[in-house]
Amino acid sequence: MLRIAVPNKGSLSETAVEMLVEAGYAGRRDPRALTVADPRNGVEFFYLRPRDIATYVGSGALDVGITGRDLLLDSGSAAVEIQPLDFGDSTFRFAAPPGTVAELADLAGTRVATSYPGLVGEFLAQHGVTAQLIRLDGAVESAVRLGVADAVADVVSTGSTLRAQGLEIVGPVILESTAVLISAQPERAGIATLQRRLQGVLVARQYVLIDYDLPRELLERAQAITPGLESPTVSPLADGSWVAVRAMVPRDETNHVMDALYDLGARAILVSSIHAARI
């Protein structure tokens, strides 16, 4: 059985579980359950703290796992990223009181509070900056006001939380993180199937099917609007001067594509969600 680590809580947990269920795997009925066997699919799920997943997978205790790129890099684990999963995006930046840090080099000799000392320490070392790292498990943005640190390194979205604590974003981006699939044995039997299934979920979420009828003489121009992945499917209609066209289009472009097709002369334009896919 392929042993898969899944976040049991936090921002990654809900979406990870949803993706696995959409990919055809068994879900967890009891939220307190630590393991779920899925013999039909030849897998077993282990629900763990997101921060521990890279350690378990890197040691070989589990075969593959879903965690954040930030947590993987911070762990120093032997596991490697094998597939991004396009959710749980976050950006890591430094922040300090206004006027105290103009560039990264100004952090030399300072105290930097962070929940990711491995990640931040490696980043500073790569840039030749030596600083004292203060590890905190939460409320990092309060560290400067409380006198524990001179600067912080933390997840930033709008920056409003940092500004509320009298801090401003400084220096370069430390990391653009996202949820990833990781393994120390990427060639392990069963992982390729898991990857295909998860990729199918991503395609189903990112694309829709669009069907429309079109005068045959406009087909070449319509194909420029809906090229599909390889090419659109074109079928004849009873009226030989018209054709039916089907293609995949990015979900976030749907209405623009429909408008362009209608203006071109297409009619009976229909959009359908994709439940699952193998590309």
Side-chain angles (χ1 to χ4, degrees):
M1 298 257 284
L2 188 70
R3 297 163 299 175
I4 305 173
V6 184
N8 67 347
K9 59 182 180 180
S11 60
L12 301 180
S13 177
E14 183 176 350
T15 304
V17 170
E18 288 176 354
M19 283 193 71
L20 290 166
V21 171
E22 288 179 37
Y25 295 104
R28 183 170 61 163
R29 296 182 179 180
D30 182 353
R32 296 169 298 179
L34 300 179
T35 63
V36 172
D38 184 0
R40 182 167 180 263
N41 288 298
V43 302
E44 186 173 10
F45 297 106
F46 294 79
Y47 294 86
L48 305 168
R49 291 178 65 243
R51 185 170 284 277
D52 295 336
I53 286 176
T55 300
Y56 280 106
V57 174
S59 71
L62 298 177
D63 302 309
V64 63
I66 296 174
T67 190
R69 181 179 291 146
D70 53 336
L71 295 172
L72 170 63
L73 296 177
D74 189 61
S75 71
S77 165
V80 296
E81 176 181 333
I82 58 176
Q83 182 177 343
L85 298 176
D86 295 341
F87 71 90
D89 295 347
S90 58
T91 302
F92 285 77
R93 300 291 301 269
F94 291 104
T100 61
V101 176
E103 57 186 25
L104 187 62
D106 293 336
L107 291 173
T110 65
R111 300 166 299 163
V112 179
T114 182
S115 298
Y116 298 82
L119 172 64
V120 175
E122 177 67 19
F123 182 86
L124 290 173
Q126 290 175 354
H127 290 81
V129 176
T130 300
Q132 179 187 356
L133 298 181
I134 309 296
R135 176 167 185 166
L136 297 174
D137 286 332
V140 171
E141 63 276 0
S142 300
V144 175
R145 176 169 290 183
L146 295 175
V148 175
D150 305 302
V152 303
D154 200 13
V155 176
V156 174
S157 52
T158 64
S160 59
T161 302
L162 294 171
R163 287 193 295 272
Q165 295 296 321
L167 304 176
E168 65 177 6
I169 296 171
V170 298
V173 172
I174 303 169
L175 177 71
E176 297 283 0
S177 185
T178 191
V180 294
L181 194 67
I182 66 170
S183 179
Q185 311 169 65
E187 302 305 318
R188 165 78 159 81
I191 291 181
T193 298
L194 172 64
Q195 287 186 266
R196 281 196 301 271
R197 288 193 179 195
L198 291 175
Q199 184 60 35
V201 172
L202 293 176
V203 170
R205 290 181 171 189
Q206 294 167 359
Y207 289 85
V208 295
L209 281 175
I210 189 164
D211 292 271
Y212 56 93
D213 297 342
L214 184 82
R216 185 180 294 273
E217 69 268 17
L218 299 176
L219 182 57
E220 185 174 347
R221 292 167 63 186
Q223 286 178 313
I225 300 172
T226 59
L229 295 187
E230 282 81 24
S231 66
T233 300
V234 180
S235 305
L237 293 178
D239 182 342
S241 64
W242 282 68
V243 293
V245 182
R246 165 173 281 191
M248 291 173 60
V249 300
R251 184 179 294 272
D252 58 3
E253 297 178 13
T254 302
N255 284 291
H256 294 291
V257 169
M258 293 177 73
D259 291 339
L261 288 172
Y262 191 89
D263 290 342
L264 178 63
R267 294 297 181 264
I269 305 170
L270 305 175
V271 174
S272 306
S273 293
I274 300 171
H275 178 68
R278 297 290 185 276
I279 303 300

